[in-house]
Amino acid sequence: MALVRIFDQDQTLTDQREIASYLAAFGIDYERWQPAHHVAEDAPAEAILQAYSNEIEQLKARGGYVTADVIDVGPETVGLAEMLSKFNREHWHDEDEVRFVIAGHGLFHIRPENGRVVAIEVEAGDLIRVPRGTWHWFNLCADCRIRAIRLFQDVVGWTPHYTDSHVDENFLPVCLGPTYLSQVSSDES
Ligand SMILES: [Fe+2]
């Protein structure tokens, strides 16, 4: 389940419906997907795409996406730091950024125009669609791993354009995940 932090209100959302409706105001889609049949997180890419083919086809029809693939990065990935350095600065794309997480974690920061920064932490089962033109940046979490389905309208459009605002430098890329949830449950008990 995703976790959304609204910094200026010192608020954290953990409820799926609350998250979806909050993000919808920025044009961001958030959904939870269930596979049509069990598929291991380390299954071959074709098996992953097959297990989620219904959802992928629906999304393709909705968003005009033409291709889907599976990206896989982890601590052992050669050139990981260099790869991440392209996306951990505020940027936008000419096409939507669509990710469905199979394994690992990711942290999107979004800065809506005339809006305040919001962090969206995603994990396995989370789909996020960040519309084209949205200012954002991306980090991995402590596990340094993400495996995700990506959908593209046009792979050429996925080149980052940098805002050079340096706003991203004001936000530590900290994932809360289970730490936050265990803290909440102990506060409630
Ligand atoms: Fe991006």
Side-chain angles (χ1 to χ4, degrees):
M1 186 71 72
L3 204 144
V4 168
R5 289 154 76 191
I6 309 164
F7 293 102
D8 66 320
Q9 293 170 18
D10 199 19
Q11 193 184 1
T12 301
L13 306 180
T14 56
D15 178 79
Q16 181 185 346
R17 289 167 72 171
E18 273 184 6
I19 290 172
S21 90
Y22 182 79
L23 295 180
F26 307 116
I28 297 170
D29 290 341
Y30 171 71
E31 297 173 7
R32 293 281 299 172
W33 284 4
Q34 296 286 342
H37 50 82
H38 174 74
V39 61
E41 64 176 41
D42 59 352
E46 304 75 50
I48 299 281
L49 294 172
Q50 180 60 36
Y52 293 99
S53 59
N54 287 342
E55 287 83 358
I56 290 170
E57 289 310 313
Q58 282 175 24
L59 206 55
K60 277 184 176 176
R62 248 164 57 195
Y65 310 107
V66 292
T67 58
D69 70 3
V70 177
I71 182 163
D72 210 334
V73 297
E76 73 290 347
T77 302
V78 176
L80 180 63
E82 190 190 350
M83 186 191 302
L84 290 174
S85 69
K86 291 182 187 162
F87 303 112
N88 66 9
R89 289 178 285 146
E90 189 177 69
H91 64 274
W92 81 95
H93 306 278
D94 291 325
E95 77 157 50
D96 298 351
E97 185 161 331
V98 187
R99 299 289 179 273
F100 173 72
V101 184
I102 303 293
H105 299 83
L107 183 66
F108 288 88
H109 281 81
I110 307 287
R111 186 162 69 100
E113 268 183 82
N114 305 319
R116 306 273 167 74
V117 173
V118 172
I120 309 163
E121 196 173 317
V122 290
E123 64 174 14
D126 290 328
L127 170 97
I128 183 168
R129 185 189 69 87
V130 179
R132 63 179 73 186
T134 306
W135 296 339
H136 67 281
W137 62 96
F138 177 81
N139 297 93
L140 289 177
C141 295
D143 56 1
C144 249
R145 165 150 173 72
I146 194 158
R147 189 169 199 220
I149 296 174
R150 307 186 292 185
L151 283 104
F152 297 101
Q153 288 146 331
D154 176 354
V155 289
V156 175
W158 200 59
T159 307
H161 303 294
Y162 300 104
T163 64
D164 294 325
S165 69
H166 300 283
V167 169
D168 46 276
E169 294 168 7
N170 301 326
F171 293 85
L172 270 180
V174 177
C175 298
L176 300 176
T179 312
Y180 175 80
L181 295 174
S182 62
Q183 190 185 320
V184 170
S185 57
S186 67
D187 289 350
E188 285 172 350
S189 58

